[in-house]
Each structure stands twice: as structure tokens, then as C-alpha cells.
Amino acid sequence: MGPAAKFVTPGVLFILTLVFGFWLSRSGKPYPALIFNIHKLIALAAAVVTAIQTFNALRIGETQPILIGLLIVMGLCVVAPFVTGALMSAKKATGRAMLTIHRIAPLLAVLAALGTLYLLGGRA
Ligand code: HEM
């Protein structure tokens, strides 16, 4: 299995997370428990599967500093939606900042993942 194929499952889970995320936003507060939990659990599954596949892919070959940098960015951008998501649902954080971070972090995570795949390309 090439490096890209390993990221099909995380990719599908990620897209499902987005779909439920937008659905959740449109439903508004108080968030419907079912959609909220599905969004949260699929997001968790996506993060776990991505981490496993990334570590598997990394075992092959030497690591370059730029790859480590991308992985740190990816890690932070995967943790950020969990923190902001929890804050938004706990009603503590009002205002748009949390939602903005919640939107931008996944985008950056995807960019970092693509960069990682590019660097790993051909050797995993
Ligand atoms: C990889 C992880 C995640 C991704 C990619 C993600 C993505 C999204 C997206 C795209 C939206 C729609 C935002 C919009 O309308 O522009 C959303 C909404 C939301 N997400 Fe997530 N999410 C993730 C994890 C989580 C987690 C773990 C939680 C809860 C602990 C959470 C709670 C929420 C809530 C409460 C909203 C609704 C915000 C609103 O009021 O509009 N998310 N998410």
C-alpha cells in the first residue's frame, strides 16, 4: 500500500466530520446531542486513524527536519478543533474566535498532511 492509500480511511472520516460539523452549525445552539456526538466521535476516530497511519508511514526511512515541522503543525491543528469544539459546546466561549479557529485549523491540518504525504511519497 502506498502512502496515499493509507490515508483514504482518515480522509473519508475527515470528510464525514466536516459534513456533521456544518450540519451542527446550521442546527445552532443548543446543539442536538445526536449530531454533536456523531461529529465528535467521528472526529476522534479520524484523529486516531490519522495518527496511527502517520506513525506507520514514518517508521520507513529517515526523518527530515521539515517533516518533523509539518508533523508538529499537523498535531497542533488536530488538537485545536478538539479544544475549541469543547469550549464552544460548554457555552464558555462566545464570539467568533473559537469558530474561526475551529474552521481554519482543519484546513491547515490538511495542508500539513498533504505536505507530509509529498515528503513521504515514493518511499512508504
Ligand atoms: C478533526 C476534528 C474536527 C473537525 C475537522 C471539525 C470541523 C468542524 C466544522 C467544519 C464545523 C462547521 C463550522 C462552520 O460552520 O463553518 C464544525 C462545527 C462544530 N464543531 Fe467541529 N470539528 C472537529 C472536532 C470537533 C470536536 C472534537 C468537537 C467537540 C468537542 C467539535 C464541536 C463542534 C461544534 C460545537 C460545532 C458547531 C459550531 C457552531 O456553533 O457553529 N468539533 N466542526
Side-chain angles (χ1 to χ4, degrees):
M1 199 162 37
K6 290 187 183 126
F7 288 90
V8 170
T9 310
V12 171
L13 290 173
F14 181 77
I15 290 167
L16 283 174
T17 306
L18 295 186
V19 170
F20 280 95
F22 287 119
W23 192 1
L24 194 57
S25 266
R26 292 179 131 246
S27 313
K29 288 187 180 188
Y31 301 122
L34 186 66
I35 305 170
F36 176 66
N37 285 311
I38 293 176
H39 178 63
K40 205 167 49 177
L41 291 177
I42 301 179
L44 186 63
V48 170
V49 181
T50 307
I52 293 172
Q53 297 294 45
T54 306
F55 284 115
N56 282 341
L58 279 180
R59 282 208 306 244
I60 307 139
E62 81 292 356
T63 22
Q64 312 154 37
I66 185 166
L67 192 60
I68 313 251
L70 280 176
L71 288 172
I72 293 173
V73 172
M74 210 167 124
L76 290 176
C77 291
V78 168
V79 170
F82 283 83
V83 176
T84 53
L87 287 173
M88 285 190 291
S89 66
K91 297 189 198 127
K92 288 199 185 88
T94 44
R96 312 246 342 139
M98 291 299 136
L99 186 58
T100 305
I101 299 172
H102 201 82
R103 281 175 180 163
I104 291 172
L107 199 72
L108 290 177
V110 167
L111 291 180
L114 289 177
T116 306
L117 271 180
Y118 175 76
L119 291 178
L120 289 175
R123 69 172 156 91

